[in-house]
Amino acid sequence: MPTYTNLDLVKQCDKFPYPHTEPEVYAREVSTYFKFHVEGCDSVLGFMLPSVVQGFQWPDFWSVDYEQKTVLLRGANFEERNENMGWRDELYPVYGGGIASGDTPFESILREATEEASFSKDYVSKNAKCCGVVSYFDVRDERAAPGAEIGLLQPECIYVYDLEVPEDFVPRPEDMEAEDFRLWGIPELQMALRNGEFKTNCALVLLDFFIRYSIVI
């Protein structure tokens, strides 16, 4: 089993080239994708795999330019979808999840803490402390869930909160997204990180925690 350094863990998740540090590599990589636009906005809002663009039956409110490699959304109403397309058999922090449309990061924390670990909203609202943001630009690889597109570009940011819990509190899966919970100390976390057992972006959150609390691994 390979072992990973801190920098290895970062590169596993934040692995797409940045234009200000590697402009030529960035331009070459981006040129292989379709650029996603929304009508009325000049900015590129994302990138799409050619295999997705070519294999999708586009409704009338989409325009696809195969020469310029652009996909334009001209306007539509969407119902919110909730798909559990996460990773499998990976370690996570106690709870976390995506921010629903219209929610603030803190509202999302309250919801996820209740759904995934059976925390009371009152306790979380009084004790959770915002500790900043972890950002990265990932490229989805073969470790993603079955059916997920390999090579998908995923620029993301994670809003990080610390929550100190009572010694007698035992988290319980409420929505069954988690299989179980484990109480680990720093040595166990260090070993799991070195062995690559954590989901890659969750490893970044733990590294951020170690840096903030001056823990050296």
Side-chain angles (χ1 to χ4, degrees), residues 4 9 189-196 198 203 206-207 210 217:
Y4 300 94
L9 294 171
L189 289 173
Q190 292 172 338
M191 183 61 67
L193 284 168
R194 292 193 184 102
N195 292 337
F198 274 91
L206 285 173
L207 290 178
F210 289 161
I217 66 172

Side-chain angles (χ1 to χ4, degrees), residues 13-14 18 45 95-100 103-106 108-109 130-139 153-161 199-202 204-205 208:
C13 189
D14 191 30
Y18 286 88
L45 301 181
Y95 60 85
I99 300 176
D103 279 0
T104 66
F106 195 72
S108 299
I109 282 292
C130 181
C131 297
V133 173
V134 173
S135 61
Y136 56 91
F137 199 145
D138 193 15
V139 182
L153 301 186
Q154 292 183 265
E156 296 182 341
C157 66
I158 299 176
Y159 295 89
V160 180
Y161 289 81
K199 185 184 176 195
T200 54
N201 60 352
C202 295
L204 296 188
V205 173
D208 172 75

Side-chain angles (χ1 to χ4, degrees), residues 12 17 25 29 52 61 109 119-120 136 142 144 155 160 162 175 183:
Q12 277 200 338
V25 178
E29 291 292 330
V52 173
F61 48 82
I109 282 292
F119 282 95
S120 73
Y136 56 91
E142 65 280 354
V160 180
D162 284 352
D175 58 8
L183 178 60

Side-chain angles (χ1 to χ4, degrees), residues 16 29-30 33 46-49 137-140 151-155:
F16 196 77
E29 291 292 330
V30 165
Y33 292 84
F47 300 95
M48 304 181 71
L49 289 167
F137 199 145
D138 193 15
V139 182
R140 186 181 287 171
L152 183 70
L153 301 186
Q154 292 183 265

Side-chain angles (χ1 to χ4, degrees), residues 65-133:
D65 187 327
Y66 289 93
E67 291 187 1
Q68 297 297 321
K69 285 190 173 180
T70 59
V71 176
L72 174 67
L73 174 61
R74 294 200 303 269
N77 293 321
F78 296 93
E79 294 182 359
E80 183 178 349
R81 296 196 308 165
N82 181 15
E83 293 183 271
N84 185 15
M85 289 293 290
W87 293 28
R88 300 295 182 267
D89 300 323
E90 299 280 342
L91 295 176
Y92 292 70
V94 176
Y95 60 85
I99 300 176
S101 176
D103 279 0
T104 66
F106 195 72
E107 288 170 336
S108 299
I109 282 292
L110 294 178
R111 182 184 66 254
E112 296 293 343
T114 302
E115 293 178 354
E116 295 189 357
S118 301
F119 282 95
S120 73
K121 288 187 177 181
D122 181 65
Y123 183 84
V124 176
S125 65
K126 292 178 180 178
N127 294 279
K129 298 179 180 179
C130 181
C131 297
V133 173

